[in-house]
Structures are given as C-alpha cells and as structure tokens.
Amino acid sequence: MRIKMILLTSMMTLFLSSCMNIEPTVLNEINIATAISYDYIDKDHFTSTAVTPYYLPDKRVNNVTFTATSSLSKDVRQRMNQQTDKPIFSGKIEVVLYSKELAKHDLIRMTDTLIRDPSIGNTVYLAVVDGKAQDVLIKQFGNVDKGTYLSNAIEHNIQSGILPKTNLHLFSYAHNSEGMDPFLPIIKPKNGNPIITGVALFDQGKFVYQTKDHENIIFKMLVETSSNKEGFSAKLGENLFASVYNISSKVSYNIPEPMTNSPIMINLKVEAVLREFTGEQPDKKVIRTIEKKMEKELKQRAEKLIVKLQKLEVDPLGVGEQVRTRTRSWNKDEWKSLYPTIPFQVNVNFEILESGAVE
Amino acid sequence: MKKFPFEKSNQSQTPHFDEVLQQLKESKDFTCFTVGIKHDTLCISYFNTLIDTNILHRDLLPYLNKSSSTLYDAVQALPIENLLFTQKPADVQNHLLIGYISITVEGNNDQAVLVKADSQLSRTVSLPEVEFSVIGPKESLVESLDTNLHLIRKRLPIQELKVEVLTVGKLSKSRVALLHIDGICNQKNVSTVIQRISNLDVKQIIDSSYIAQMIADKKNSPFPQFIDTERPDRLAAVLGEGKLVILVDGAPHGLLGPATLVEFFTASEDYFINWTMASFFRLVRFFAVLFSILITPIYVAILTYHYELLPKNLINTLVISRSGIPFPPILEALVLELVIELLREAGARLPTKVGQTIGIVGGIVIGTASVEAGLTSNVLLIIVALSALASFTTPVYQMGNTIRLIRFPFLFMAYYIGILGVAISFCFMLIHLLRITTLGRPYLEPLYPPKLESLKDSLIRLPLTYLSKRPASKHEE
C-alpha cells in the first residue's frame, strides 16, 4: 500500500509536470532583452528594436540591437530570432520606449502585449521618446547595459527628481480608471544620450501634451506625495533670489460639493531647505517673506498648469478619481463635461525647515 | 533475552565445574593452577588476559587460608568485597569470561567462589573532540561504561537517578546502561526503551550508534532520532530535563532521547554564554541549515528556468561566470557537490596530517583550477563551498550528514521543474518531519505542535532564569 502511494506520487510529479510545458532557459544560452523600442511606420506597422547585452569575459558589456518591422510585437520576436544565435527572451525587459509619433496614435494597443506576457513584470518603465525611439537604443555608450542604464536613469529621477512614479502598472491603472488619464516620462535623445525632459500627458491612450521645464516640479507635487532632491528658485524682489531644495510635499484634496461646478480645493503642503539666498542672513521675518513668496509662486504655477490640463481635457492628476470616491452616483460622461468648467483653487503651505549652515 | 545454542546445551547437560574448566583450557590464555589446603586442592582459574594480576598476587593468594578445611573458610579472609558463591557451572563460565577468578575445589562440584578481578584498561578522560567548546567543562566520555557512569553520577548526586543495565548481543554481550531520573522522566519512555533494547536480536553491539539505529521509531528516515553526544555535562543536563540517556560499554558516545529537531541545533556552549549571543548563534545555525539545503537547488532552478528572478545587477556577474561552461547548471552543481563530498570523505578517512593536505589540494587547487579551465563557474563554486561549510555548523555530526544528503533530491527537482520543484521537495521534507516521532513524541516539537513553554529554549534561548521549568514536552503524562 505504501509502496503504491509512493509510486503514485512520484508518477504524478513526473507526468503531470511534463504537462506544464516549461522549457529550460539556461541563463547563458539565451539573449536577454533589456529594452525595446517601437517606432511608427504607418497605421498598421511599426519598427521594433530590442537591445540585449552581451557580457564579455573582461566585464565589458556590448549592447547588441535587433530590429524588425511588423504589425504584432510577438511576430517581431520571431523576426529578431532569425537574426541571432540565441533565442531572445523578454523576461528581463526594464524599459519600453515608444516614439512620440506612435504615442500620438494609440499606445494602449501597444502595451497590451506587455500586460499579457506573464514574464514581463508590471514594474517595467514605459517612456515616450521625443524623436526616433530607435536612436536611444542603437548608440553604444558607456560600459553598461542599455536597459539597465535607462531604467536606472528613470528610477533615480522618480526617487529624487522631476518624475512622478510611473510604470506599466500605473499606466494601465490610470488608463482603466474612469477619472484619470495616464502619463509617461519623456526622453529626448541627444547624440544618442537619453535626456529625461519631462512628462508626456495622454488622453486615454493618445499623447497630447508634453510638460515644459517649469511645470515638471509642480506636476510631480500635484500628482503624489513626494520628496525631491532637486530644487527650484523664485525671484523675491529686485536682485533678490531664493532657491530651495530637499523639497517634500504632500497633496490633499478638499471637494466640498463633488460633481458640481463648485470649486475644488487642492491643499499643497511643502517643506524645504533654503539653499541659496542672495540677500543678507535671513532672520525669522525674512524667512516668512520667502515662504510667502514661494507659496505665491507655487500657487501660480499650479493653477496655470491645472487650467492648461482642463483646456486639454486630460486629467493626469486623477481629480476625477478624487471626485468619484466622494460621489455616490458617479457618471463618467457627466464628469467629462464638467471637468473643464470646475474652478480650482490651490492652497500652498510652504515651510522652510532650515536655512543652511551659514554662521 | 534469547538463549544461545551453546548456552542451552550447557544448561541441559549441567556439566560439572571441571568440564567447564576443561573447555576453557582450550584457550591458551586461560590459566588454571592448584593450591593445596588442609584436605583438598583448590583450583584457581582465570583468563590471564582479562584479569588484573595485581589483584591475584596482592589480594588473593597471600590471604588464602591454607589451613582451613573448606572452600568457604579458605576465602573468608580475602580483602575483597566482591565474592560470589555459585553452584551453577554456567555462572562460572560467564564470569570467567568477563574477568573473574574462580576458585573451586578439585573433585567437588558443589560450589565455586568467583572473585572480581577484571583489569580496568581504559583511556583516561580527555578533552571532547567532536563537541569541543571554548567555555565549559572539558571532560568527555570514554570507552568504559563504569567511568562514564561515574562522570554522570558525580554531576547528579541524587538517589532518583536510576541506572538500568541490560546485556545485548549474542557475541559481544555488551552492557547497555539506561539512565533516567525518577519522577522527571516519563516512565512510559523508560519501559519503551527497555522493551526495545531487550527485544534486539543482534550478534554484536560495537557502538551506541547501533542502538540508536535499531530502536528508532522511523528506521528509514535520514533524520537522526537520538542525539549522540560525548559530553557528560550535556547528558547530565538533559537527564534533568526528563530525558533518557543510553550508554553502551565500549562506546565513547552517549545517546539521549526523545530528541526533537531543534535540539540537534543546540550546542552545549549555548548554555555557557549569555542568552543574547546564544540566541543569535542558534538563529545563525538555523539559517545556515536552510541556506545549505536550498541555495544550490535555487541556483540551479533560477539559472535553468527563472532568469526573470535575477536582479538586473546580478545578471552580469552570473552570465560572465557561466560563459563558456559546457555543462548545464545541474551537471555543474552535481559535479561540484560530489567533489565536496569526495573531499569530506577523503578527509574523514585519512589521518589528520594527510587530511589537511587533501583539504588544501581539494579546496584550492581543484577549485581554482576547475574555474580557470572553464569547467565550473566561480559563483557556483562559492555557493557550493558555502553550503558545505554551512552544513558543518550543526553541533550534532549526524545532522550535518543528513543535511548534505537531502540536498540532492532538492537539486534534481530544481533541475526538473525549477523553483516549483524546490517547493515540492520542501513540502515533502516538511511532511516527513511532521510524521517522524521519537519515542512516540512529535519530532518537530515545540514548533509543531506549538508549545509556548518549550519555545523559550528552541530557536532562541532565553535567560537561564526563565528556563527553570522543564520543557512541557517532557512532563510525565
């Protein structure tokens, strides 16, 4: 009886596991794609470029790119595999780049394959390239693998730079939410070097607007509770400038009457460290003035940005979601028509925590 | 106990003393000489290789009363406490064979006197070698049962410490001592062990490990179910916890049971140092064991199936170390694991000095050379060496062997279906551990079934003042 049980169990593990159809993918016998880019050709076709690192024994990394044109991205992989000695696998993809041209059409169709593939993580970074996406991947630079480089670049800009948190999961979440529109970082290749320039805003899946330099920081503050190593400066008066850094901000919404035309209050609580001040050693009173000026500056920038977003009829801040959570009878279409007409009021509470290590 | 054929025949025929002596004389180390007394002749016989001749010459011969007329009178004045009077020839034979001197009257088969005179040739008590500890007592058990009992009894000078002695083995007639403290130890366990030991039908008991293997609840399990220790202080300590101790004459290791899994990761040094350190070291040991079992299978699984799981910064290192290696990860891992086992086996069989050389040859030469030759990846070499090292952290030697053995099924399953295989193997191991009992008690106690009281001294060790209560699992039922 016992022998039978043992036999049965081992047979089960033997035969049933054969049905799982898992094929070995031995690490050094595959090409691990770390980044993929998509470029627009025409309505149905696109060019796809994958970059895979070749690790040389002397610890150098050679980035090899494969390019293929197709209408379905898995089909692309087949075409790429025809060019290489080892099969290409997509499980380690860190970054997916789309050209602006492609983003202007529909990105949702493109991200579908990423979401469907279980080997691709939800934390993959997506980005829009201002120009040809291929260019970012093709040029060899530095001694690092391209995908890792790009993902590190985006990551540190999220942690302490201008980018709000973004990845595949958040992108599709924002897209699928009824009161929210997605956004992605935007990269501009300059001599092949990728430079993160701002945020691309989408209306559903379609690219509509690219934030300007002065909008980046306030955009991040409005989107999420964040901390920021970067600073920003404001003109306080004639020849009087102050700049702050180590900003941490907290955003909260106050919606007294949701789903009406009544104003929506956005409260922004900002804490920062004074880094540069052209005037004399600031005392409490001066600091209070600086805080006031900063508050005014931020309020202006924020309200300007929100008006712009309303004009574009996109809602990357997720105001719709905020309203939805406060409304019993939420109506998507009603909100859509309501959104551009709502007056927003931004209240900034700016606090300077310390004024530096000056005697 | 079963009767042996020759013993049976002896009893059925009831031979006379003379016949017994005649039979024994066939051995050349048997001595028999006569001493005359008033009317009769005394026949003094013994194995000169078994007795202490000092006793014969100093304590026996000078005091024999040659003017007496009976055997009884003749031995009256002997300054020896251990005089046995017997009328059974079989008794004489048995005692002669364990170092007694027999005195009989020639031609008279009524009575014999047996004088204990066995020579106590034994190692002196020395430092523990297997379970050495920097702090604490430095005595270890020796091959003599009496010395061992002395070492334990002097630590527990109470009348409740009971010693039961059984004789096992048709040929070896080994004395097996069973120690327990009355009132603390579960009486059921005592009778179970006595029952199992007396039911043993074996020819020889060479070492205590024979007993451990033969009276275990699950004889086919790779997990040891009795702790094997050479430290009398540890034995005395666990006797106080209500455990049983089994000592075998001729074995420098005592057994203690019922043992649970966590106790195999307990070193006696744990009690000699501060509880914070002791707890830390214990946790390190448990981590080391898990690491030792799982790390190579996980390496094989990830490299064969789950490249997605690797952090992006680690891929570089792994790919470079694997590049140009002609074998799949499983073969590479198996070969290296076997090499480590080879080294261990060779080191264990060779004398210490040569063993060191083997260690150097194996560790440095073979290791670096095989990496340079491109046969193995250096990452795996590190992993395998570390896991071997981790398996040696277990204070009980047998447990280390078990850990090294059960790694292999894990490896095969990892190769077969990846991490899932590792998980399945781990489940099998856990089920097996849950099913093991030692003397009827669950092996995983106090982890499962959970016993809060005993947890104080399991994965961690709380201060000694907290441990005054006996572990709940050993309470008398």
Side-chain angles (χ1 to χ4, degrees):
Chain A
M1 188 58 210
R2 254 187 88 170
I3 304 273
K4 257 189 202 164
M5 278 300 286
I6 292 170
L7 268 176
L8 192 71
T9 336
S10 43
M11 288 294 176
M12 259 160 58
T13 44
L14 267 170
F15 292 123
L16 288 181
S17 58
S18 312
C19 305
M20 298 194 314
N21 191 24
I22 40 172
E23 270 174 48
T25 48
V26 178
L27 187 66
N28 57 330
E29 287 163 17
I30 54 172
N31 267 326
I32 302 165
T34 56
I36 283 190
S37 73
Y38 295 100
D39 280 298
Y40 184 78
I41 297 178
D42 60 41
K43 208 167 149 281
D44 292 320
H45 292 87
F46 57 81
T47 312
S48 174
T49 303
V51 59
T52 72
Y54 266 61
Y55 298 102
L56 304 176
D58 58 351
K59 304 236 163 173
R60 280 193 302 121
V61 183
N62 221 350
N63 288 300
V64 180
T65 51
F66 304 98
T67 304
T69 305
S70 169
S71 57
L72 272 174
S73 61
K74 291 289 135 104
D75 190 21
V76 164
R77 192 192 289 174
Q78 182 53 45
R79 277 159 211 251
M80 285 180 187
N81 277 336
Q82 289 166 359
Q83 306 168 24
T84 163
D85 62 333
K86 300 172 188 168
I88 297 173
F89 280 86
S90 51
K92 265 330 262 190
I93 286 179
E94 302 274 344
V95 180
V96 182
L97 303 172
Y98 301 100
S99 71
K100 210 176 188 175
E101 191 68 20
L102 192 68
K104 276 177 188 161
H105 292 81
D106 201 3
L107 264 199
I108 299 306
R109 207 183 53 165
M110 305 297 301
T111 54
D112 180 72
T113 173
L114 303 178
I115 293 165
R116 244 169 248 290
D117 189 342
S119 73
I120 295 178
N122 266 337
T123 53
V124 167
Y125 291 125
L126 307 183
V128 172
V129 177
D130 191 358
K132 239 181 137 189
Q134 214 177 23
D135 293 351
V136 178
L137 297 187
I138 281 176
K139 202 199 162 200
Q140 171 89 265
F141 68 94
N143 191 23
V144 283
D145 139 48
K146 204 83 177 214
T148 310
Y149 178 92
L150 285 170
S151 96
N152 286 347
I154 295 175
E155 195 173 317
H156 91 82
N157 273 297
I158 287 174
Q159 265 162 20
S160 56
I162 56 158
L163 288 180
K165 201 162 170 35
T166 164
N167 57 34
L168 173 60
H169 172 76
L170 292 173
F171 180 82
S172 63
Y173 172 80
H175 171 253
N176 290 324
S177 297
E178 290 187 343
M180 210 168 174
D181 285 310
F183 57 85
L184 288 179
I186 193 156
I187 290 174
K188 195 177 171 69
K190 195 174 178 193
N191 304 327
N193 273 13
I195 295 163
I196 295 169
T197 53
V199 177
L201 305 181
F202 287 79
D203 182 5
Q204 291 304 305
K206 291 191 176 71
F207 170 83
V208 286
Y209 180 70
Q210 177 181 351
T211 56
K212 305 278 184 302
D213 264 354
H214 64 276
E215 291 163 345
N216 285 334
I217 283 180
I218 191 70
F219 182 75
K220 183 174 180 174
M221 285 179 182
L222 286 173
V223 167
E224 62 184 14
T225 295
S226 61
S227 66
N228 195 326
K229 286 264 161 23
E230 310 280 303
F232 79 101
S233 53
K235 195 175 175 188
L236 298 171
E238 201 65 31
N239 284 334
L240 205 55
F241 290 93
S243 91
V244 290
Y245 76 119
N246 255 357
I247 303 159
S248 69
S249 66
K250 204 172 168 184
V251 63
S252 62
Y253 286 79
N254 186 4
I255 309 169
E257 290 165 71
M259 293 301 277
T260 58
N261 256 343
S262 62
I264 288 176
M265 260 81 79
I266 299 176
N267 301 315
L268 202 57
K269 194 171 183 306
V270 186
E271 287 169 348
V273 174
L274 188 66
R275 181 168 58 180
E276 227 178 293
F277 180 57
T278 48
E280 61 206 83
Q281 174 60 20
D283 55 17
K284 254 191 185 153
K285 216 175 127 193
V286 180
I287 284 181
R288 189 66 215 135
T289 0
I290 298 172
E291 283 175 356
K292 280 269 183 278
K293 286 275 182 191
M294 291 285 184
E295 274 169 15
K296 207 175 152 196
E297 171 82 20
L298 280 177
K299 186 181 161 76
Q300 243 173 29
R301 287 198 201 180
E303 281 174 353
K304 245 189 199 164
L305 178 69
I306 292 170
V307 168
K308 198 174 266 170
L309 296 178
Q310 281 176 305
K311 229 178 247 169
L312 292 164
E313 292 188 28
V314 294
D315 184 11
L317 307 182
V319 183
E321 282 297 290
Q322 296 287 343
V323 172
R324 194 173 68 88
T325 56
R326 291 164 170 82
T327 317
R328 194 168 284 274
S329 53
W330 160 263
N331 187 321
K332 191 181 162 190
D333 299 322
E334 200 186 328
W335 170 252
K336 255 202 135 100
S337 58
L338 207 56
Y339 177 64
T341 63
I342 296 176
F344 280 86
Q345 193 183 328
V346 182
N347 304 318
V348 185
N349 182 357
F350 197 96
E351 197 181 335
I352 287 177
L353 295 176
E354 49 175 296
S355 52
V358 190
E359 171 62 33
Chain B
M1 206 168 121
K2 288 202 170 172
K3 302 290 180 213
F4 310 114
F6 46 87
E7 203 174 35
K8 230 178 242 169
S9 67
N10 277 358
Q11 279 194 341
S12 59
Q13 286 167 14
T14 52
H16 298 299
F17 291 132
D18 294 341
E19 285 174 34
V20 168
L21 296 180
Q22 211 57 48
Q23 276 176 9
L24 291 172
K25 266 181 198 158
E26 286 165 21
S27 290
K28 288 287 178 278
D29 59 345
F30 188 73
T31 314
C32 186
F33 63 88
T34 54
V35 176
I37 52 169
K38 211 171 187 179
H39 300 298
D40 295 309
T41 318
L42 289 185
C43 187
I44 297 174
S45 40
Y46 53 87
F47 278 95
N48 54 30
T49 45
L50 280 178
I51 64 149
D52 186 353
T53 43
N54 269 337
I55 296 178
L56 178 70
H57 293 131
R58 191 185 61 211
D59 303 334
L60 200 148
L61 292 178
Y63 293 96
L64 270 183
N65 189 352
K66 291 191 179 126
S67 59
S68 65
S69 53
T70 62
L71 175 63
Y72 183 75
D73 287 339
V75 297
Q76 265 306 306
L78 290 188
I80 292 169
E81 87 285 7
N82 221 339
L83 288 184
L84 272 174
F85 293 89
T86 180
Q87 289 162 334
K88 288 185 203 144
D91 246 10
V92 174
Q93 189 189 38
N94 290 343
H95 281 90
L96 279 171
L97 284 166
I98 56 172
Y100 278 69
I101 298 170
S102 93
I103 307 170
T104 50
V105 181
E106 214 170 37
N108 182 345
N109 287 318
D110 286 349
Q111 213 170 33
V113 178
L114 295 166
V115 181
K116 185 174 161 61
D118 56 334
S119 75
Q120 301 268 355
L121 272 186
S122 160
R123 214 153 51 91
T124 49
V125 175
S126 56
L127 288 177
E129 278 178 14
V130 185
E131 293 167 85
F132 182 80
S133 76
V134 181
I135 317 163
K138 301 275 190 296
E139 281 176 335
S140 82
L141 299 182
V142 293
E143 281 79 358
S144 154
L145 178 61
D146 296 317
T147 315
N148 291 347
L149 285 174
H150 162 79
L151 287 174
I152 293 176
R153 215 178 242 294
K154 79 171 180 193
R155 286 180 166 82
L156 295 165
I158 47 166
Q159 56 109 0
E160 283 88 356
L161 176 62
K162 296 286 185 314
V163 180
E164 196 90 38
V165 180
L166 306 158
T167 310
V168 190
K170 284 175 201 164
L171 298 179
S172 68
K173 304 261 182 195
S174 310
R175 288 190 298 150
V176 177
L178 184 72
L179 286 77
H180 71 275
I181 295 181
D182 240 4
I184 300 181
C185 184
N186 190 340
Q187 203 57 43
K188 220 168 73 190
N189 288 347
V190 181
S191 34
T192 312
V193 171
I194 291 180
Q195 177 82 46
R196 285 187 191 170
I197 291 179
S198 37
N199 279 350
L200 291 180
D201 182 16
V202 281
K203 284 187 173 160
Q204 286 185 312
I205 298 285
I206 309 285
D207 187 58
S208 54
S209 48
Y210 277 50
I211 301 276
Q213 290 173 54
M214 285 186 291
I215 69 169
D217 287 20
K218 290 232 179 245
K219 295 184 182 65
N220 296 328
S221 169
F223 287 90
Q225 287 147 57
F226 286 93
I227 294 178
D228 185 292
T229 180
E230 57 169 355
R231 298 183 66 102
D233 53 309
R234 185 170 191 179
L235 291 174
V238 297
L239 275 171
E241 285 177 6
K243 299 207 181 227
L244 285 169
V245 166
I246 301 169
L247 295 173
V248 175
D249 199 15
H253 284 247
L255 300 175
L256 59 96
T260 59
L261 184 71
V262 288
E263 280 168 326
F264 283 92
F265 302 101
T266 308
S268 34
E269 208 174 24
D270 288 357
Y271 297 94
F272 305 149
I273 54 179
N274 186 286
W275 72 277
T276 45
M277 277 173 270
S279 302
F280 172 68
F281 292 153
R282 271 200 200 168
L283 290 175
V284 165
R285 266 177 237 140
F286 282 104
F287 170 75
V289 167
L290 279 182
F291 179 87
S292 178
I293 295 174
L294 295 177
I295 193 73
T296 328
I298 287 177
Y299 172 88
V300 169
I302 288 183
L303 256 74
T304 322
Y305 293 105
H306 317 287
Y307 67 94
E308 299 100 330
L309 286 179
L310 288 169
K312 60 189 175 208
N313 300 323
L314 198 64
I315 291 184
N316 192 346
T317 323
L318 280 175
V319 170
I320 290 173
S321 85
R322 278 279 305 160
S323 66
I325 288 161
F327 310 117
I330 176 71
L331 217 59
E332 201 191 348
L334 268 183
V335 167
L336 271 185
E337 288 283 359
L338 284 175
V339 164
I340 293 267
E341 286 304 299
L342 275 183
L343 280 173
R344 191 193 54 77
E345 197 61 23
R349 300 288 153 257
L350 283 169
T352 334
K353 279 179 187 158
V354 192
Q356 283 175 358
T357 326
I358 288 292
I360 293 165
V361 170
I364 299 168
V365 180
I366 297 180
T368 41
S370 61
V371 169
E372 270 171 27
L375 289 176
T376 54
S377 69
N378 40 18
V379 175
L380 183 63
L381 193 70
I382 295 168
I383 286 176
V384 169
L386 269 183
S387 67
L389 197 65
S391 76
F392 286 109
T393 58
T394 54
V396 181
Y397 177 71
Q398 271 109 325
M399 197 38 118
N401 292 341
T402 306
I403 286 160
R404 279 194 299 281
L405 177 75
I406 58 175
R407 209 185 297 151
F408 286 95
F410 277 79
L411 259 181
F412 285 114
M413 286 300 275
Y415 167 67
Y416 191 53
I417 39 177
I419 289 284
L420 188 62
V422 180
I424 289 174
S425 314
F426 200 83
C427 288
F428 269 107
M429 188 183 79
L430 216 57
I431 292 167
H432 177 67
L433 283 174
L434 283 167
R435 284 176 55 95
I436 298 180
T437 52
T438 63
L439 300 179
R441 290 218 73 94
Y443 194 53
L444 276 188
E445 213 173 10
L447 306 177
Y448 192 87
K451 290 262 164 71
L452 205 62
E453 190 62 36
S454 323
L455 272 174
K456 286 176 183 172
D457 185 12
S458 53
L459 298 179
I460 54 166
R461 180 184 79 77
L462 290 189
L464 290 172
T465 44
Y466 285 49
L467 304 177
S468 52
K469 267 191 185 173
R470 262 176 290 126
S473 55
K474 283 104 199 175
H475 276 297
E476 186 141 27
E477 273 150 18

